[in-house]
Amino acid sequence: MRWGMLINLVKCAGCYSCAIKCKQEHFLPPGVMWGRILVSESEGKLPTAKRNLYPVLCNHCEDPACVKVCPTGATQQREDGIVWIDPDKCMGCRYCLIACPYQVRSYISEDEKEYFPGQGLTDFEKIGKKLYPHQKGVVTKCNFCMEIIDKGISKGLKPGEDREATPACVNSCPNKARYFGDLDDPSSEISVMIREKKAVPLHPEHGTEPCVYYVIG
Amino acid sequence: MKDKATASADIKDYWAYTICSGCYNLCGVKIRVVEGVPISIEGVPESDLGGQGGLCGKGVATIMDFHDPNRIKYPVKRTNPKKGLYEDPKWERISWEEALDTIAQKLKPIVETDPRKFVWSFTPGPGTPFKATVYSSFFFLACGSLNQAFGGVGSQCGAAAHHAGALMHAAWDILPDYRYCNFVLRCGGNEGHGGGRMAVTSMRQAAAARDRGMKTIVMDPIGFKAGADADEWIPILPATDIAVFLAMARIIVHDIGTYDKEYIRNRTNGVYLVGQDRLFVRDKESGKPLLWDEKDNRAKAYDDPTLSHPAIEGDYSVNGVKCHPAFHLWKELLKQYNAKWASEISTVPEERITRLAHELVENAKIGSTIEIGGMTFPYRPACVVGYKGVQTHQNAFHQYLAMNLLNVLMGNQDSPGGIVGSGTVRSFGHPETGRPRFEPYGGVDGMLTPGFWHTRTPWPPHDVGGPGLINLLDIMADSSMNPYPYTDDFDEIWTNIGRPYEVEAFGMYGGNIVMNIVSEKTINNFLAKIPFMFSINTVHNETTEGFADIVLPDVHAYESYDVASSIGFFFNYPIGLDKWSFHVRIPVVEPQDDLKDTLDIYFDLADRIGIREKYSTFLENYFSGKKSTWEQDDVKEAEYVILRPDERISAKEFTNRVLKYYFGDERGVEWFQKNGFMTWEKRPDETYWRYFVNARIPMFFETVARNKPKIKEIFESIGIHMNWDYYTPLISYFPSVVYTELPPNSEYDLLGVSYRDVLHTHRHFLENPLVDEMSASNPYTFNIVMSEDTAADKDIQDGDIICVENHWGDKVEGRVKLSRLIHPRVLAVVGLGGWAKGRPIAKNKGVNFNSLLRADYKHMCPVVGSLEIVARMKAYTVKRRTEQ
């Protein structure tokens, strides 16, 4: 069992749903993103130059660079491949932040940040502190909606197939560009799609064996 | 999924269904509420209205709109008597009683003596298009005023597109039938890529189509939006698409020779006979336009039961009058529009234009059929589509219709794979109740007429009258919107008209006209003089702060009973063969603070002004299906099925009654609270209604020629000297004023365009901190995009602060982002910017090119009133990036 994700860039229209939904689902503070959209332009001249638009997130690598460097063991990897951070153990040294070749980790600063600066916390932010609190002075990143997956499995549901057990970003995509499933199962929808659509991970040369695949088209 | 239970202190965590407040698509959503706080929003997987479970980024972000501490929480009045841009209104809280009473006291005498002095505007968005266009418009009409001025959709609104949509498709707008389409030439617009009215629905459908191999070619000045998702991006100068369209038509008709002749013959007025005077040859007795039947060689009326094979070409003589089928005349006209000529105008290579024509024809498979649901339809999996970038120019009427005529030549209108209406316009209704029921039909002269429409009836055009309205729409028979009175020449024209009255009151529902229409200075000139203005808004903005005397707080969409957003006259009905999906707005939480539901505000005001019966009658006529357009004087039926004129009910009860009327007594508010929504299958003959409705569409715009003498006479007499050549019934080439008002070697060599970013289909979202955060991480959104090569020529470096100036001396400044994906002569911004205190997140973000526009009759399409939204500019660095 190794959880992986596939993002079909032919279908993606860059609507930011995944990035914003992730923030909403996890009550992430201002300035912190677990998923983000990278936009740039390729080399080349008009009109054959291309725009690059990549939704990126933690790749939950098979051989994660972050786990290797963590001095406290806060960053760790589960049997099913999910790389997660125990905030109680994290001391905020940010070594992992630098070690990650994909730069998908963020640091939650000590300052209290408000979404409407100077106007107090909204009810949304206040409820967030109860439902999904974040410690300050620690590193944070995408955890493949670990809590949703685990709860779903305990109810007998299948992550990637049953909405209630599936990461929020996958459900939120209006173009059905995101898929989630077991990379170790060659007959899973995601494994089939990787083969048929020749999906590739980003920067395989980093050698961390990422588990997020992209259909480039 | 838990139901939303009735109010109880024990209910801490529930999901409730409503409709997204993000844009016009009005996607069905469900919202999670914990301890009375909405915290999460998702799409509805079982519904086809929207993302089938997904939702776009701005839709997700609407939860934060709901929680914006800057939301207006109670009625306020202005205590700073000075009105103008940048003024601090010094709001003071007042009671609802004082607010409503003050408004009524101002309006009542105007309504009773001369309602023309009451000017109104509304903004259909975000999220509340139909509260604006249904609840609000009927209120103002009930006051007796036809003096509608543009709302916050501003100069970008679809003066040409909606008019053409009505005439061609009985629909507000058009979309590719993505389910079956194989080839789309998309021009000027980002619909299917996050923009447009059906933003998410079309995005989803287009994504699936791309995934199965549909080819998209985008012809647009900018290539980093829709063009970036496409198979090919063709750069083009703004507002020159007309040349390419006409050249393609010429190649198709004269060189390739393959086009849908049977469609022209049987479904268009291309077969109506036209005399030397450019008007139809009509039957002497009936007045009906005549056709030439080739079968028995004689002229017949369009509805003659023996009509068999109307001629599409030829020289004929009827009652001694020499005449030709309309198509024959257009075919002759097309000869002059060759690809070389079009290339010189548009900068699209000649070879590419020629190849485009061939590709369109090859992919259209003219003559082929497809079976769907046991019925056989013409199969035409290719189309040409576009919106703002095609129609929001001074040459709008001819440019936008030239595009539509390519689809006519392909015979793809409302057929599988071709162009369908934005919102299916034929409905047999829910299987159990048969409601809502509407379908287009053949009306005057046998021409297509919508079965369900709003605003003024598009066909036939109203009689030319006036002058008398401040929007000049009484004169412009083919226009439903134009920039008047927000123009630089309005005052002069009003004086020429004799100043029959002065505007004494201005009412606004939603919106931000200061920012969204033209230069803020132009708006200031109009609004600052008006003695009394009131508005209903969710947050303050540059317009309320500068000019409103009283502002009433609007509920958020998620706190509102709003059934208008469900029966929204077309564009939010599911597209193509997507299931009918009916959602309704019912509050997910009770309104906060001192808020009243929008419809309750209108009911209360209507009572105080004494127009409640009229107002209720408008609502009754619309929702019962008796009459949906603004002209309702001809409704005679006095059986009231939803709301009697003398009844006093609430927004909640009104919603309840309408739901029951449509879906049965057991399906009122309570049923929808429990079940959320309903779906039923769409019939193929609802989606692809074209061959089931006996009506023709125009290739020849006779009323334009017919109305010309009177319109010209009135306009000339009041100092409006437009290019009257535009009033030709044959779609022809006209360059936009943006290319004729300056010499080709002018130093103002750049053309500024505004485009729709996926997160900013309305300016509203600038205030949303989640959207703001994402936008800040996007290299384009807040910046002025410029060609890398052009910048090098002008010694402009990436990240510089540049000044952009028009040839009238107006300037804006912003940061430049250099790009390889933009036409060398174009600058592009998402129209943003602002200074309002009431929108602190939005303040100073982005750049507004509207400040560089001029609005007057020279910059307006003479026929449909579209404003030219591109201006000639020059740009230069004022501060290097390294100095910032």
Side-chain angles (χ1 to χ4, degrees):
Chain A
M1 167 73 69
R2 180 168 292 276
W3 296 118
M5 195 174 283
L6 179 142
I7 300 176
N8 185 337
L9 295 178
V10 172
K11 293 173 97 174
C12 174
C15 79
Y16 287 86
S17 181
C18 47
I20 297 179
K21 184 61 183 173
C22 175
K23 289 201 61 138
Q24 182 173 91
E25 185 69 31
H26 302 101
F27 297 93
L28 299 182
V32 174
M33 295 186 206
W34 285 2
R36 64 183 70 225
I37 313 292
L38 299 181
V39 183
S40 64
E41 292 183 9
S42 70
E43 297 298 319
K45 279 293 172 197
L46 181 131
T48 53
K50 291 273 168 228
R51 181 200 67 187
N52 301 316
L53 191 142
Y54 284 83
V56 297
L57 68 166
C58 171
N59 290 288
H60 297 274
C61 302
E62 279 193 55
D63 187 15
C66 52
V67 170
K68 291 191 174 81
V69 304
C70 177
T72 64
T75 285
Q76 43 196 297
Q77 185 160 40
R78 303 181 352 166
E79 286 283 332
D80 61 5
I82 290 180
V83 178
W84 65 289
I85 305 167
D86 182 347
D88 290 332
K89 289 186 178 163
C90 176
M91 63 179 198
C93 71
R94 287 164 270 184
Y95 197 169
C96 58
L97 211 140
I98 300 162
C100 172
Y102 297 98
Q103 299 173 43
V104 287
R105 288 169 163 260
S106 312
Y107 177 72
I108 301 184
S109 81
E110 301 287 354
D111 321 317
E112 175 83 85
K113 292 208 169 108
E114 299 168 340
Y115 270 105
F116 294 92
Q119 295 190 272
L121 295 175
T122 60
D123 286 343
F124 172 84
E125 291 163 278
K126 288 178 192 161
I127 287 256
K129 287 187 187 301
K130 282 199 257 181
L131 295 179
Y132 206 97
H134 294 277
Q135 290 188 30
K136 298 197 189 58
V138 299
V139 172
T140 188
K141 70 168 191 69
C142 158
N143 65 8
F144 263 0
C145 282
M146 191 168 80
E147 300 89 354
I148 291 175
I149 288 174
D150 292 343
K151 191 170 177 192
I153 289 173
S154 74
K155 286 185 181 178
L157 300 173
K158 290 204 169 77
E161 284 178 41
D162 298 309
R163 245 180 107 83
E164 218 182 301
T166 297
C169 59
V170 174
N171 287 339
S172 198
C173 177
N175 288 6
K176 298 187 174 59
R178 295 174 85 107
Y179 293 83
F180 188 79
D182 183 4
L183 296 175
D184 280 349
D185 174 4
S187 66
S188 69
E189 190 184 22
I190 190 175
S191 296
V192 170
M193 221 180 284
I194 289 169
R195 288 195 301 274
E196 286 183 358
K197 294 198 181 275
K198 299 186 177 26
V200 294
L202 295 180
H203 291 294
E205 70 275 12
H206 292 319
T208 59
E209 297 175 65
C211 294
V212 176
Y213 287 77
Y214 291 82
V215 176
I216 310 292
Chain B
M1 221 44 60
K2 269 174 141 175
D3 310 327
K4 181 187 174 190
T6 48
S8 158
D10 294 327
I11 306 301
K12 294 279 188 233
D13 190 344
Y14 60 82
W15 288 85
Y17 287 89
T18 183
I19 291 176
C20 184
S21 67
C23 77
Y24 292 5
N25 200 145
L26 299 172
C27 295
V29 292
K30 52 183 187 253
I31 292 179
R32 184 176 170 206
V33 181
V34 173
E35 292 179 17
V37 180
I39 61 162
S40 181
I41 183 170
E42 293 182 5
V44 178
E46 305 88 350
S47 168
D48 281 354
L49 187 55
Q52 290 174 339
L55 195 61
C56 77
K58 57 186 193 302
V60 176
T62 56
I63 295 291
M64 208 52 122
D65 286 343
F66 181 89
H67 294 293
D68 188 339
N70 299 287
R71 278 181 59 188
I72 306 173
K73 299 178 178 60
Y74 38 73
V76 292
K77 76 174 180 192
R78 179 185 210 84
T79 58
N80 171 7
K82 204 153 173 281
K83 289 187 182 180
L85 304 170
Y86 323 116
E87 285 293 333
D88 179 353
K90 299 198 169 70
W91 299 122
E92 188 182 286
R93 180 177 186 166
I94 55 175
S95 67
W96 276 100
E97 183 56 37
E98 184 186 336
L100 295 172
D101 193 55
T102 309
I103 295 169
Q105 291 300 324
K106 293 283 183 191
L107 292 186
K108 203 161 155 48
I110 297 172
V111 168
E112 282 166 1
T113 57
D114 188 351
R116 297 176 306 171
K117 297 177 181 179
F118 175 30
V119 174
W120 46 281
S121 87
F122 52 66
T123 284
T128 54
F130 303 125
K131 271 195 185 179
T133 50
V134 178
Y135 296 150
S136 303
S137 71
F138 284 148
F139 174 83
F140 297 117
L141 289 170
C143 286
S145 171
L146 281 172
N147 264 333
Q148 189 215 354
F150 250 128
V153 281
S155 46
Q156 330 292 332
C157 202
H162 303 322
H163 190 59
L167 299 181
M168 292 280 185
H169 294 272
W172 195 248
D173 202 355
I174 56 176
L175 277 172
D177 182 29
Y178 285 114
R179 189 178 290 245
Y180 294 106
C181 188
N182 293 333
F183 177 90
V184 174
L185 172 61
R186 163 164 299 288
C187 314
N190 292 319
E191 177 274 312
H193 305 265
R197 270 148 303 288
M198 298 298 292
V200 166
T201 306
S202 65
M203 197 166 63
R204 161 176 60 82
Q205 291 185 349
R210 283 197 298 278
D211 200 43
R212 70 167 168 80
M214 179 189 80
K215 188 168 181 195
T216 311
I217 300 183
V218 167
M219 189 169 76
D220 197 304
I222 65 180
F224 53 87
K225 280 290 161 201
D229 296 331
D231 293 281
E232 181 187 350
W233 168 51
I234 300 174
I236 186 173
L237 276 176
T240 63
D241 311 55
I242 185 173
V244 175
F245 296 149
L246 290 171
M248 285 174 69
R250 180 207 190 274
I251 293 165
I252 290 168
V253 170
H254 289 284
D255 298 343
I256 303 173
T258 305
Y259 50 99
D260 201 333
K261 297 186 175 104
E262 295 315 300
Y263 186 73
I264 294 172
R265 197 184 311 283
N266 298 313
R267 299 286 145 184
T268 80
N269 73 359
V271 291
Y272 288 10
L273 294 168
V274 177
Q276 303 298 298
D277 57 358
R278 292 299 167 110
L279 300 178
F280 290 141
V281 177
R282 293 174 180 269
D283 181 78
K284 284 198 167 77
E285 277 162 32
S286 67
K288 291 177 181 170
L290 295 170
L291 297 62
W292 190 266
D293 194 338
E294 285 177 322
K295 183 155 187 248
D296 47 5
N297 267 312
R298 57 187 183 92
K300 294 176 182 171
Y302 65 84
D303 57 354
D304 189 312
T306 71
L307 186 67
S308 174
H309 201 256
I312 68 170
E313 292 181 79
D315 305 312
Y316 302 102
S317 180
V318 177
N319 300 326
V321 173
K322 273 179 69 176
C323 53
H324 303 86
F327 175 71
H328 179 115
L329 296 174
W330 193 54
K331 188 177 172 186
E332 279 299 304
L333 181 75
L334 284 177
K335 279 183 181 159
Q336 60 185 300
Y337 301 132
N338 61 55
K340 182 164 186 291
W341 159 85
S343 175
E344 281 157 12
I345 290 168
S346 64
T347 71
V348 178
E350 180 184 345
E351 177 277 332
R352 194 64 190 93
I353 295 173
T354 307
R355 204 158 30 96
L356 269 177
H358 284 270
E359 283 168 340
L360 184 62
V361 171
E362 272 152 33
N363 282 282
K365 300 191 194 302
I366 294 161
S368 68
T369 58
I370 185 173
E371 207 177 285
I372 300 170
M375 300 182 208
T376 305
F377 300 92
Y379 177 55
R380 301 284 185 274
C383 63
V384 186
V385 74
Y387 182 61
K388 196 184 118 196
V390 179
Q391 72 105 54
T392 326
H393 296 293
Q394 185 262 328
N395 57 355
F397 175 69
H398 289 277
Q399 182 153 262
Y400 195 74
L401 278 162
M403 183 184 79
N404 276 266
L405 287 179
L406 285 172
N407 292 315
V408 174
L409 291 175
M410 296 302 104
N412 66 17
Q413 298 182 314
D414 301 287
S415 285
I419 290 282
V420 289
S422 180
T424 300
V425 300
R426 186 181 197 222
S427 165
F428 289 99
H430 188 270
E432 286 172 36
T433 62
R435 293 185 188 134
R437 175 84 211 238
F438 47 86
E439 70 173 336
Y441 60 95
V444 168
D445 288 353
M447 303 306 292
L448 184 69
T449 309
F452 193 47
W453 194 257
H454 199 45
T455 70
R456 302 190 313 180
T457 305
W459 180 262
H462 64 80
D463 294 333
V464 176
L469 294 181
I470 54 138
N471 52 30
L472 310 183
L473 289 177
D474 45 353
I475 307 165
M476 298 180 77
D478 271 285
S479 173
S480 59
M481 54 188 89
N482 64 27
Y484 286 90
Y486 310 124
T487 64
D488 301 293
D489 58 356
F490 171 71
D491 215 52
E492 185 191 327
I493 290 168
W494 200 242
T495 303
N496 293 346
I497 291 175
R499 306 201 81 88
Y501 53 89
E502 299 299 328
V503 180
E504 288 182 12
F506 188 88
M508 184 171 88
Y509 177 73
N512 194 354
I513 52 183
V514 163
M515 301 302 291
N516 285 345
I517 316 236
V518 289
S519 159
E520 63 273 17
K521 298 191 197 99
T522 311
I523 307 290
N524 179 53
N525 287 344
F526 178 73
L527 286 185
K529 296 179 189 137
I530 300 175
F532 179 72
M533 175 183 163
F534 76 95
S535 79
I536 304 174
N537 283 73
T538 51
V539 287
H540 286 295
N541 56 37
E542 290 76 11
T543 307
T544 64
E545 289 181 3
F547 304 96
D549 292 288
I550 291 186
V551 179
L552 305 174
D554 199 9
V555 284
H556 191 275
Y558 301 153
E559 297 164 321
S560 179
Y561 286 99
D562 172 20
V563 72
S565 295
S566 314
I567 300 166
F569 72 104
F570 35 75
F571 57 70
N572 65 323
Y573 290 140
I575 304 296
L577 279 177
D578 277 2
K579 300 190 290 280
W580 292 106
S581 306
F582 188 93
H583 295 256
V584 64
R585 281 208 179 115
I586 289 171
V588 309
V589 286
E590 288 306 303
Q592 298 171 16
D593 303 297
D594 194 12
L595 300 175
K596 284 184 194 294
D597 211 331
T598 320
L599 186 55
D600 288 324
I601 296 176
Y602 282 125
F603 280 149
D604 194 326
L605 269 178
D607 277 332
R608 291 168 193 256
I609 298 169
I611 55 160
R612 177 75 176 243
E613 290 187 12
K614 273 196 195 150
Y615 186 49
S616 293
T617 305
F618 270 117
L619 294 175
E620 159 73 21
N621 288 342
Y622 177 90
F623 285 99
S624 67
K626 278 180 233 162
K627 192 91 186 266
S628 58
T629 57
W630 288 357
E631 303 97 336
Q632 298 192 357
D633 290 338
D634 56 342
V635 178
K636 299 289 176 246
E637 205 185 307
E639 192 210 340
Y640 298 104
V641 293
I642 296 172
L643 176 61
R644 284 195 325 274
D646 60 337
E647 287 187 279
R648 297 281 178 278
I649 61 171
S650 65
K652 178 179 179 180
E653 177 55 21
F654 182 76
T655 305
N656 191 36
R657 289 187 186 190
V658 173
L659 292 173
K660 288 184 176 185
Y661 176 72
Y662 274 69
F663 301 114
D665 282 333
E666 64 290 359
R667 292 197 186 105
V669 162
E670 229 178 273
W671 188 94
F672 276 91
Q673 250 169 345
K674 196 155 177 285
N675 297 282
F677 65 100
M678 59 165 58
T679 63
W680 65 96
E681 290 304 309
K682 195 174 291 175
R683 292 166 50 154
D685 55 343
E686 286 174 317
T687 304
Y688 309 116
W689 52 265
R690 180 66 64 174
Y691 286 86
F692 295 86
V693 167
N694 192 9
R696 292 175 181 270
I697 55 99
M699 295 188 80
F700 185 87
F701 296 83
E702 196 227 21
T703 54
V704 168
R706 191 178 286 283
N707 289 325
K708 178 180 176 178
K710 200 152 181 216
I711 295 176
K712 181 177 173 182
E713 190 194 326
I714 296 174
F715 268 158
E716 289 288 338
S717 75
I718 59 174
I720 293 183
H721 312 295
M722 296 204 287
N723 178 358
W724 298 109
D725 291 343
Y726 266 80
Y727 275 77
T728 165
L730 288 170
I731 299 305
S732 322
Y733 174 71
F734 289 94
S736 163
V737 65
V738 78
Y739 296 106
T740 60
E741 64 186 352
L742 288 176
N745 59 357
S746 163
E747 61 171 322
Y748 299 92
D749 55 338
L750 301 173
L751 298 127
V753 308
S754 300
Y755 65 94
R756 279 292 161 266
D757 179 76
V758 67
L759 285 172
H760 295 281
T761 53
H762 296 273
R763 174 184 304 279
H764 170 88
F765 279 99
L766 205 52
E767 170 60 12
N768 185 300
L770 286 172
V771 168
D772 178 61
E773 199 176 321
M774 296 297 160
S775 297
S777 74
N778 183 298
Y780 304 109
T781 312
F782 290 151
N783 300 318
I784 302 172
V785 185
M786 182 178 197
S787 153
E788 202 175 56
D789 291 339
T790 305
D793 290 340
K794 296 179 188 297
D795 191 27
I796 291 175
Q797 295 170 11
D798 202 20
D800 284 356
I801 301 291
I802 62 171
C803 181
V804 180
E805 217 179 293
N806 66 18
H807 67 281
W808 298 295
D810 305 306
K811 296 178 186 178
V812 295
E813 283 186 11
R815 177 165 289 109
V816 75
K817 188 257 179 305
L818 300 187
S819 171
R820 301 175 189 117
L821 295 170
I822 187 168
H823 192 287
R825 283 188 63 190
V826 170
L827 299 175
V829 295
V830 180
L832 296 171
W835 60 82
K837 285 203 175 72
R839 301 203 330 142
I841 306 294
K843 204 168 167 193
N844 296 328
K845 303 275 171 63
V847 176
N848 190 5
F849 271 1
N850 286 346
S851 304
L852 300 176
L853 295 179
R854 280 296 152 99
D856 52 40
Y857 73 80
K858 293 184 188 126
H859 291 86
M860 176 181 88
C861 174
V863 179
V864 289
S866 284
L867 185 68
E868 178 53 69
I869 48 134
V870 170
R872 294 286 289 269
M873 304 171 182
K874 69 176 180 184
Y876 48 89
T877 290
V878 291
K879 204 174 202 183
R880 286 281 185 222
R881 183 191 192 136
T882 46
E883 291 162 16
Q884 291 164 33

